[in-house]
Amino acid sequence: MPYRHLPFLPELNNQGLPGQLLYQQSDSVSEPQMPRLFFSERLAELQDWIKHLCRMGEIDHASGNHIAWSISVSSCLQYQAMFERMEGYLATVVLLPMEFEYSEYLNVFIQSCLQLQILTKKNGNFVMDVSLSVSTQLRDVTLDWTSFCQLLDLICAKSRTAEFKAKLRFQAKEANERYTDYCNYVNALFDCCDRLVVLRVDLVYHKELTGKTSLEMALADLDRLFANMRNNYLFESLEGYIVKTEYGIERGIHFHLVLFFNGSARNGSSHIFHARQIGQYWSEVITRGRGWYWNCNRDAKNYQKMGRLGVGLIHWSDTDLRNNLLEHVVGYVCKQDQCFRSLLLPRAKLIRRGQYPAIVNVKRGRPRMLSQTDGVQVS
């Protein structure tokens, strides 16, 4: 039974991920009815819960008021609800490939489950221990309360170790430095161009091919896309790019691609059509029918109504659109929660950007003037 049929806990729904609402319902030309669930909502909820659990465990430990979970948790409805949902989370986690490492919160959950033999490894996959999963109906709770409490205690204990805290600090530092660098990169592009046309396209593989498309194969397709950008009219006046590789349970390896074109050379009013052309080029030429795409620019009017528009034609003087671009587009790509690392390809660069533009001499004459009418054209 697919995880989406499990009961839903509104208070644990992961609505706080940067940019999630902005791009939740982007359009796909080839498969318009397919929901966007790159990073499983179950994993997002599980990750939020583990974060909360680690914080609460740290507070209890610091105050010296730690009480056995078997006593304290039984009176907490939220943890009772998590207990009832646990097998659904485990059923989702077993779908994760063992060749990848994930966020530290998901890693500590997986390590704790393995240590308690709630999960085991078999033939290169995670599997639920048969003694704890006697029913194929995920709605039935087969994980006993004692094992659940032991799991909570172990997660909290691991989260208090110096190694775990050091990894969290490193990941946070790395994410903050990357976000700052990528924001500076985008601002440098505006220093060289009066206006930029920003395209956001998600490059995906057809669902039936996700299990057959390895990270190495997907990165080869991406490299071929960038190699083919030379002398290709679709990419004329391309000033820069940002691309991030992610793994999702429903869609496997996929890419979030942001392209920056010189708005003085490209027609900004046709940004939706331009993004569609690039998506079709990925689908038909690069992957030869194995891939498809989401054209995020197609929802520009919706983003504008939400006050989060950061794609399309953006003038250097439009502070609102530029802030949206940095916060909701660049911020979404740079977020740490959905990052992963390949154990087989440890040197693979899973998030990258173009080179900073060459520094040019400042032209003499009239300086740039702010305009109240400059903005984005939404078609």
Side-chain angles (χ1 to χ4, degrees):
M1 181 178 298
Y3 73 88
R4 62 177 177 271
H5 294 303
L6 294 172
F8 182 70
L9 289 183
E11 69 273 12
L12 296 174
N13 186 30
N14 187 44
Q15 298 295 334
L17 289 177
Q20 182 181 1
L21 293 180
L22 179 60
Y23 297 110
Q24 187 71 21
Q25 299 295 335
S26 300
D27 178 73
S28 162
V29 174
S30 56
E31 297 189 28
Q33 302 302 322
M34 193 64 65
R36 282 200 57 192
L37 292 172
F38 285 152
F39 186 67
S40 169
E41 291 181 5
R42 289 292 162 196
L43 288 182
E45 292 174 5
L46 176 59
Q47 186 164 257
D48 280 352
W49 170 65
I50 298 172
K51 286 182 181 179
H52 172 74
L53 177 64
C54 292
R55 287 195 297 266
M56 295 303 296
E58 187 67 29
I59 293 173
D60 286 342
H61 181 75
S63 63
N65 294 326
H66 180 67
I67 304 175
W69 285 107
S70 58
I71 300 174
S72 61
V73 176
S74 61
S75 62
C76 179
L77 293 178
Q78 182 178 0
Y79 288 105
Q80 288 181 358
M82 290 306 306
F83 171 64
E84 295 172 359
R85 292 181 66 114
M86 184 53 59
E87 190 162 349
Y89 289 123
L90 292 173
T92 305
V93 169
V94 297
L95 299 177
L96 294 173
M98 289 177 55
E99 64 184 275
F100 301 144
E101 283 190 343
Y102 306 92
S103 74
E104 288 308 313
Y105 291 106
L106 288 180
N107 287 340
V108 75
F109 176 81
I110 294 172
Q111 292 166 6
S112 299
C113 289
L114 290 172
Q115 184 171 333
L116 295 175
Q117 295 186 338
I118 296 172
L119 293 178
T120 57
K121 296 180 180 180
K122 184 177 181 181
N123 299 327
N125 297 304
F126 295 116
V127 295
M128 284 189 286
D129 191 303
V130 292
S131 64
L132 297 175
S133 182
V134 297
S135 172
T136 58
Q137 297 298 319
L138 299 186
R139 290 178 180 175
D140 296 337
V141 179
T142 58
L143 182 69
D144 63 88
W145 180 260
T146 301
S147 298
F148 177 69
C149 294
Q150 291 174 347
L151 177 61
L152 300 187
D153 267 325
L154 186 57
I155 290 174
C156 287
K158 288 181 177 294
S159 70
R160 291 194 296 267
T161 63
E163 180 183 7
F164 180 81
K165 294 178 180 179
K167 288 181 178 180
L168 283 184
R169 287 194 298 270
F170 176 78
Q171 285 188 349
K173 180 175 180 291
E174 186 179 48
N176 290 335
E177 290 178 350
R178 180 189 299 118
Y179 178 64
T180 299
D181 174 58
Y182 279 43
C183 287
N184 290 337
Y185 170 67
V186 173
N187 288 330
L189 296 179
F190 276 108
D191 288 340
C192 297
C193 302
D194 287 338
R195 56 185 64 85
L196 291 173
V197 180
V198 182
L199 306 184
R200 164 72 193 278
V201 185
D202 292 343
L203 309 177
V204 199
Y205 293 91
H206 287 288
K207 189 173 183 178
E208 62 271 18
L209 299 175
T210 55
K212 302 177 182 179
T213 305
S214 66
L215 176 61
E216 185 175 11
M217 294 168 58
L219 291 177
D221 286 337
L222 184 66
D223 290 340
R224 185 160 55 253
L225 173 66
F226 278 96
N228 288 8
M229 288 181 179
R230 307 183 188 96
N231 302 319
N232 188 320
Y233 75 97
L234 287 177
F235 301 97
E236 289 180 359
S237 303
L238 179 67
E239 298 293 334
Y241 68 87
I242 296 173
V243 61
K244 182 183 181 184
T245 307
E246 288 188 356
Y247 175 83
I249 289 177
E250 294 82 8
R251 285 301 173 191
I253 300 296
H254 57 275
F255 305 102
H256 298 295
L257 178 65
V258 185
L259 299 173
F260 303 90
F261 290 88
N262 190 328
S264 298
R266 305 289 308 211
N267 182 5
S269 62
S270 62
H271 63 92
I272 296 175
F273 177 69
H274 191 189
R276 181 188 304 165
Q277 286 181 304
I278 292 175
Q280 290 174 339
Y281 184 75
W282 162 264
S283 174
E284 299 170 7
V285 179
I286 299 299
T287 66
R288 299 179 180 178
R290 295 181 294 113
W292 54 292
Y293 67 96
W294 270 289
N295 179 359
C296 298
N297 285 60
R298 186 181 178 92
D299 284 338
K301 287 186 177 180
N302 293 334
Y303 306 154
Q304 190 173 45
K305 291 177 182 178
M306 298 166 62
R308 294 187 172 189
L309 181 62
V311 296
L313 179 63
I314 302 179
H315 195 278
W316 74 272
S317 64
D318 195 320
T319 56
D320 289 338
L321 293 184
R322 287 184 62 174
N323 286 336
N324 286 341
L325 170 60
L326 297 181
E327 180 178 356
H328 299 298
V329 180
V330 178
Y332 179 84
V333 174
C334 290
K335 66 187 182 300
Q336 186 66 31
D337 285 350
Q338 298 184 28
C339 288
F340 74 101
R341 187 175 71 89
S342 172
L343 299 176
L344 302 179
L345 300 172
R347 296 186 178 181
K349 199 167 184 179
L350 302 182
I351 180 169
R352 61 181 99 162
R353 58 162 175 76
Q355 295 182 349
Y356 271 80
I359 299 176
V360 296
N361 295 327
V362 179
K363 296 181 180 179
R364 297 179 180 274
R366 187 176 179 181
R368 285 174 165 179
M369 301 294 292
L370 292 174
S371 171
Q372 298 294 329
T373 58
D374 290 327
V376 67
Q377 298 179 12
V378 180
S379 59

